[in-house]
Amino acid sequence: MLGNPAYPTYQVFLAIFISAMIAGLIMPLWIRFLKKDGIGQQIRADGPQSHLVKAGTPTMGGVIILLAVCLTCLIMARPTVELLLAVGAMLATGALGLFDDVTKVVQKRSLGLTPTGKMIGLTLIVLVFFVIAVNYCDVAPVIRFPGGFTIDLGVLTTTLTVGGMDIRIPWLYLVFVFLLLAGMSNAVNLTDGLDGLAGGTVMISMIVMAAICFVRHDANLAIFCAACAGGCIGFLWFNAYPAQIFMGDTGSLALGGALAAVAVLTNTEVVSLVVGGLFIAETLSVMIQVVSFKTTGKRVFLMAPIHHHFEKKGWAETKVVIRFWIVSAAFGALGLALFFQLG
């Protein structure tokens, strides 16, 4: 039997509805508040010229998405360690993003935290998340691939005694989790560049992760993922082109962190990279662009991340967004298929 009998399937769908309604009902009030206080988005001067008209659009819509997720989990889910850890990772990365957003608004520039500052914050978040996940959530330091192939990253493990408790630290797995969580947070952040792009693609990815969690008999994490998807739906009503509000780093870092956290807690790290394949492609486009320009002086793309490349080629913003949603859905379907092939 699929799922957990204590949590009928309809409750996962209900979580999407409740979260979407909470976000959709509160968002107009949040937009009004931000406009009243003059809190708006700063636009990159070197970005597409068509984006300059977006300057001043209210940002930090991610605050309401996170609120919707937390309230939905409070209403629908049981407070297991895994659920609290996933919510904690989301809120911690969201707090880091909020600090970044506030810095941009106060200093009136498109860049907030320095890359070093952001990495320090993400490192601390990963360390706390990792120690709890490995020692209190039965997360195995094993990377599972479709077809039954596995890689054991627990070969270099240190056990520390803290306050009379033994804390295991598999160092290789720690590095992997850091790359996954920090990388996915930044990947979603890079994707958040067009109206509706990050919200729609995260919605699709989290619905797939909700299905994976439910099949694995973890209805609480399934509800968490469904709530994330629902929060994105409520946000998209106001973020559709032309956007009335942006999610900001508050939302993008938090949702990327949530996706990675669920992947670790369900030992579906490799599958999550496929489910979030669009985010990986966005990140790779930036890396390729930087390496190419520094080594050859030439650019591979007209502009990076890659969604701007297609804008420069003449695609309308809405066309880029919808086609990227389609690509994200394809990655999600492939990831779900691969999930059933895990050993």
Side-chain angles (χ1 to χ4, degrees), residues 18 46 51 76 86 101 114 130 137 197 219 242 249 289 304:
I18 291 174
D46 61 341
H51 287 207
M76 299 291 298
D101 285 333
T114 64
F130 177 84
C137 297
L197 180 55
D249 287 9
Q289 187 86 323

mmCIF file of all heavy atoms in Angstrom, residues 18 46 51 76 86 101 114 130 137 197 219 242 249 289 304:
data_model
loop_
_atom_site.group_PDB
_atom_site.id
_atom_site.type_symbol
_atom_site.label_atom_id
_atom_site.label_comp_id
_atom_site.label_asym_id
_atom_site.label_seq_id
_atom_site.Cartn_x
_atom_site.Cartn_y
_atom_site.Cartn_z
ATOM 1 N N ILE A 18 -4.575 24.781 1.188
ATOM 2 C CA ILE A 18 -4.524 25.657 2.360
ATOM 3 C C ILE A 18 -3.373 26.640 2.254
ATOM 4 O O ILE A 18 -3.532 27.840 2.493
ATOM 5 C CB ILE A 18 -4.396 24.816 3.648
ATOM 6 C CG1 ILE A 18 -5.680 24.035 3.905
ATOM 7 C CG2 ILE A 18 -4.067 25.702 4.852
ATOM 8 C CD1 ILE A 18 -5.613 23.071 5.068
ATOM 9 N N ASP A 46 23.511 46.014 -15.471
ATOM 10 C CA ASP A 46 24.010 45.304 -16.650
ATOM 11 C C ASP A 46 23.030 44.244 -17.145
ATOM 12 O O ASP A 46 23.350 43.456 -18.027
ATOM 13 C CB ASP A 46 25.364 44.647 -16.343
ATOM 14 C CG ASP A 46 25.272 43.627 -15.213
ATOM 15 O OD1 ASP A 46 24.293 43.672 -14.438
ATOM 16 O OD2 ASP A 46 26.186 42.784 -15.097
ATOM 17 N N HIS A 51 14.192 45.132 -18.170
ATOM 18 C CA HIS A 51 13.934 44.894 -16.751
ATOM 19 C C HIS A 51 14.020 46.165 -15.916
ATOM 20 O O HIS A 51 13.632 46.158 -14.745
ATOM 21 C CB HIS A 51 14.939 43.867 -16.193
ATOM 22 C CG HIS A 51 14.670 42.476 -16.665
ATOM 23 N ND1 HIS A 51 15.038 41.350 -15.946
ATOM 24 C CD2 HIS A 51 14.054 42.007 -17.786
ATOM 25 C CE1 HIS A 51 14.682 40.275 -16.608
ATOM 26 N NE2 HIS A 51 14.077 40.648 -17.726
ATOM 27 N N MET A 76 -1.715 20.863 9.508
ATOM 28 C CA MET A 76 -1.898 19.573 8.847
ATOM 29 C C MET A 76 -0.961 18.458 9.307
ATOM 30 O O MET A 76 -1.318 17.285 9.206
ATOM 31 C CB MET A 76 -1.709 19.757 7.332
ATOM 32 C CG MET A 76 -2.678 20.713 6.675
ATOM 33 S SD MET A 76 -4.353 20.069 6.636
ATOM 34 C CE MET A 76 -4.137 18.594 5.632
ATOM 35 N N ALA A 86 13.322 20.049 8.560
ATOM 36 C CA ALA A 86 13.094 20.596 7.214
ATOM 37 C C ALA A 86 12.595 22.033 7.302
ATOM 38 O O ALA A 86 13.076 22.915 6.574
ATOM 39 C CB ALA A 86 12.083 19.731 6.458
ATOM 40 N N ASP A 101 18.085 40.662 1.424
ATOM 41 C CA ASP A 101 17.101 41.555 0.820
ATOM 42 C C ASP A 101 17.063 42.913 1.526
ATOM 43 O O ASP A 101 16.989 43.962 0.876
ATOM 44 C CB ASP A 101 15.704 40.927 0.881
ATOM 45 C CG ASP A 101 15.526 39.807 -0.135
ATOM 46 O OD1 ASP A 101 16.210 39.830 -1.173
ATOM 47 O OD2 ASP A 101 14.700 38.917 0.112
ATOM 48 N N THR A 114 27.792 39.956 0.695
ATOM 49 C CA THR A 114 28.930 39.547 -0.117
ATOM 50 C C THR A 114 28.882 38.031 -0.271
ATOM 51 O O THR A 114 28.307 37.334 0.576
ATOM 52 C CB THR A 114 30.249 39.957 0.547
ATOM 53 O OG1 THR A 114 30.376 39.251 1.803
ATOM 54 C CG2 THR A 114 30.300 41.461 0.790
ATOM 55 N N PHE A 130 23.108 19.217 9.351
ATOM 56 C CA PHE A 130 23.787 17.949 9.119
ATOM 57 C C PHE A 130 23.902 17.129 10.393
ATOM 58 O O PHE A 130 23.601 15.924 10.396
ATOM 59 C CB PHE A 130 25.173 18.222 8.535
ATOM 60 C CG PHE A 130 25.997 16.992 8.318
ATOM 61 C CD1 PHE A 130 25.846 16.237 7.170
ATOM 62 C CD2 PHE A 130 26.933 16.578 9.260
ATOM 63 C CE1 PHE A 130 26.600 15.094 6.966
ATOM 64 C CE2 PHE A 130 27.692 15.443 9.061
ATOM 65 C CZ PHE A 130 27.525 14.688 7.914
ATOM 66 N N CYS A 137 17.963 11.597 12.855
ATOM 67 C CA CYS A 137 16.941 11.293 11.847
ATOM 68 C C CYS A 137 17.265 10.040 11.038
ATOM 69 O O CYS A 137 16.650 9.797 9.996
ATOM 70 C CB CYS A 137 16.765 12.492 10.903
ATOM 71 S SG CYS A 137 16.173 13.985 11.713
ATOM 72 N N LEU A 197 9.156 32.763 -12.905
ATOM 73 C CA LEU A 197 10.067 31.676 -13.241
ATOM 74 C C LEU A 197 10.399 30.805 -12.034
ATOM 75 O O LEU A 197 10.170 29.590 -12.050
ATOM 76 C CB LEU A 197 11.356 32.227 -13.863
ATOM 77 C CG LEU A 197 12.406 31.190 -14.271
ATOM 78 C CD1 LEU A 197 11.812 30.152 -15.210
ATOM 79 C CD2 LEU A 197 13.605 31.874 -14.924
ATOM 80 N N ALA A 219 4.465 11.016 5.404
ATOM 81 C CA ALA A 219 3.398 11.954 5.060
ATOM 82 C C ALA A 219 3.679 13.356 5.581
ATOM 83 O O ALA A 219 3.228 14.339 4.995
ATOM 84 C CB ALA A 219 2.065 11.456 5.614
ATOM 85 N N PRO A 242 2.808 41.146 -15.633
ATOM 86 C CA PRO A 242 3.903 41.854 -14.966
ATOM 87 C C PRO A 242 3.786 41.736 -13.444
ATOM 88 O O PRO A 242 2.702 41.957 -12.887
ATOM 89 C CB PRO A 242 3.709 43.304 -15.422
ATOM 90 C CG PRO A 242 2.228 43.423 -15.653
ATOM 91 C CD PRO A 242 1.769 42.082 -16.132
ATOM 92 N N ASP A 249 15.501 37.123 -2.249
ATOM 93 C CA ASP A 249 16.374 36.066 -1.734
ATOM 94 C C ASP A 249 15.715 35.349 -0.562
ATOM 95 O O ASP A 249 16.018 34.184 -0.292
ATOM 96 C CB ASP A 249 17.714 36.652 -1.292
ATOM 97 C CG ASP A 249 18.586 37.060 -2.469
ATOM 98 O OD1 ASP A 249 18.075 37.048 -3.609
ATOM 99 O OD2 ASP A 249 19.764 37.391 -2.263
ATOM 100 N N GLN A 289 29.865 30.406 -18.369
ATOM 101 C CA GLN A 289 30.087 31.767 -18.846
ATOM 102 C C GLN A 289 31.328 32.389 -18.205
ATOM 103 O O GLN A 289 32.162 33.001 -18.886
ATOM 104 C CB GLN A 289 28.856 32.619 -18.536
ATOM 105 C CG GLN A 289 28.884 34.012 -19.134
ATOM 106 C CD GLN A 289 28.366 34.031 -20.556
ATOM 107 O OE1 GLN A 289 28.596 33.110 -21.324
ATOM 108 N NE2 GLN A 289 27.658 35.094 -20.905
ATOM 109 N N ALA A 304 24.188 35.420 -18.935
ATOM 110 C CA ALA A 304 23.891 34.363 -17.974
ATOM 111 C C ALA A 304 23.259 34.994 -16.733
ATOM 112 O O ALA A 304 23.539 36.156 -16.423
ATOM 113 C CB ALA A 304 25.165 33.615 -17.603
#
